[in-house]
Amino acid sequence: MPPPRHAQPTHGSVTRAGYPLVSGGWEWDLEVVGAVAHGSNAVVVPVSRGGDAFVLRMSPPGGEVVEQVWALRWWAGRGMALLYDDDADAGAMLLERLSTPLTSRPVDEAVAVLGQLMRRLAVPAPDEARSTEDIVRTRTPDLEPEWERLGRPFDLAILREAIRVAPDATHSTLAVNGDLHSDQVLAGTREDWLTVDPVLFKGDIEYDLGRVLWTRLDEMPDIVEHFDLAVHEAGLDRDRARDWVIWRTVDYWLWGSAAGLTEDPIRCARLVNSLLP
């Protein structure tokens, strides 16, 4: 069941050069003040209202937008961009305006910041959030059949290790951002760095450490050194963190192979092999 809507939009109009930009029946009294930017599934427009700066984020409506609205409302600005208004049915969110992405910073600094954010976001999660334990238990039985279907894209020993260490039990009920990496973190003013586009889970905050690493892997002369840096900054158990990185990386490796990716499977191989005994 999708999370409930937590807010209703206010009224007004979005204008550009005197023309209203209205979608889905909402009007927010905004003025476009900068160039449109876009990512893989959204456009972001700098806007203002009453002299205050925001961004208007527009993406295809659906469950993903509803879940992001829920997560942003729930974290309420703790290590996270503030959400001021939303119309999930129209795919629209009015957000705190941030600036420079973390991708612009050296990898050492970025990994440290991401580790600190993992811990910053780790407050007791809502009961209805999906558990990382459930994710692992649901997905692990599919790993070997998928590996077979894909023509055994990597060594059996790696697959066996991922299944062996699968972190399918946890006592943690802390909040977890299930989509954390350098592209999703931008410089703020309330806090130095703030997260955008969150996915709210509960359980082990080590969940997305693999993504923290593989998205910047090409910049890492020593992968284990950066793994240890993230573990230190987030205050993680090193063995548990290693298990999560191996399991998540093998899961992504299979997904990437099925999707026809070419560079990411190579990164996955480097990351897993760096952490194998």
Side-chain angles (χ1 to χ4, degrees):
M1 179 181 296
R5 291 272 300 278
H6 287 268
Q8 296 295 329
T10 55
H11 296 282
S13 65
V14 183
T15 60
R16 181 174 182 178
Y19 295 93
L21 301 177
V22 180
S23 175
W26 50 264
E27 299 180 357
W28 284 343
D29 193 22
L30 305 175
E31 180 182 1
V32 175
V33 294
V36 175
H38 66 85
S40 59
N41 68 340
V43 296
V44 178
V45 186
V47 295
S48 67
R49 178 172 66 190
D52 295 323
F54 307 93
V55 293
L56 175 64
R57 184 186 189 277
M58 296 291 299
S59 56
E64 183 176 321
V65 176
V66 173
E67 291 180 1
Q68 287 177 354
V69 166
W70 175 57
L72 287 162
R73 292 285 182 194
W74 185 83
W75 263 300
R78 181 187 176 91
M80 191 75 58
L82 282 167
L83 176 66
Y84 291 94
D85 280 303
D86 78 271
D87 187 342
D89 292 339
M93 288 183 274
L94 184 65
L95 296 158
E96 177 179 9
R97 192 186 300 178
L98 305 176
S99 59
T100 311
L102 190 56
T103 49
S104 66
R105 306 304 302 158
V107 66
D108 292 7
E109 180 182 344
V111 168
V113 167
L114 289 163
Q116 292 159 15
L117 281 170
M118 290 169 72
R119 181 55 62 183
R120 173 86 175 123
L121 298 173
V123 291
D127 291 340
E128 62 269 33
R130 188 182 183 191
S131 172
T132 60
E133 176 180 303
D134 175 62
I135 293 169
V136 175
R137 288 184 175 177
T138 301
R139 174 61 174 156
T140 298
D142 295 334
L143 296 182
E144 186 164 359
E146 189 168 326
W147 178 79
E148 292 281 3
R149 286 196 303 271
L150 290 168
R152 303 183 176 187
F154 48 82
D155 193 88
L156 177 61
I158 293 175
L159 177 70
R160 293 293 190 211
E161 180 68 1
I163 294 172
R164 184 186 74 82
V165 304
D168 57 359
T170 180
H171 298 295
S172 175
T173 57
L174 295 176
V176 180
N177 181 6
D179 190 8
L180 182 65
H181 54 90
S182 292
D183 282 316
Q184 303 282 55
V185 176
L186 296 98
T189 53
R190 293 185 300 106
E191 299 183 23
D192 289 342
W193 297 100
L194 293 165
T195 309
V196 298
D197 298 351
V199 176
L200 176 54
F201 298 141
K202 66 179 176 183
D204 288 350
I205 67 171
E206 296 90 344
Y207 174 83
D208 228 19
L209 179 53
R211 194 198 311 257
V212 166
L213 297 171
W214 76 57
T215 51
R216 301 288 297 265
L217 203 74
D218 294 344
E219 303 166 64
M220 296 178 185
D222 187 328
I223 296 170
V224 174
E225 181 178 298
H226 287 86
F227 166 78
D228 285 335
L229 175 61
V231 166
H232 172 76
E233 294 294 336
L236 306 178
D237 177 90
R238 191 179 191 277
D239 291 338
R240 185 74 167 178
R242 172 194 172 275
D243 292 349
W244 266 111
V245 171
I246 289 174
W247 188 88
R248 285 276 287 142
T249 304
V250 166
D251 178 27
Y252 180 64
W253 195 343
L254 290 170
W255 180 88
S257 298
L261 302 184
T262 55
E263 294 180 358
D264 280 1
I266 295 171
R267 295 186 182 103
C268 290
R270 289 182 56 217
L271 179 51
V272 168
N273 284 314
S274 71
L275 296 175
L276 287 175

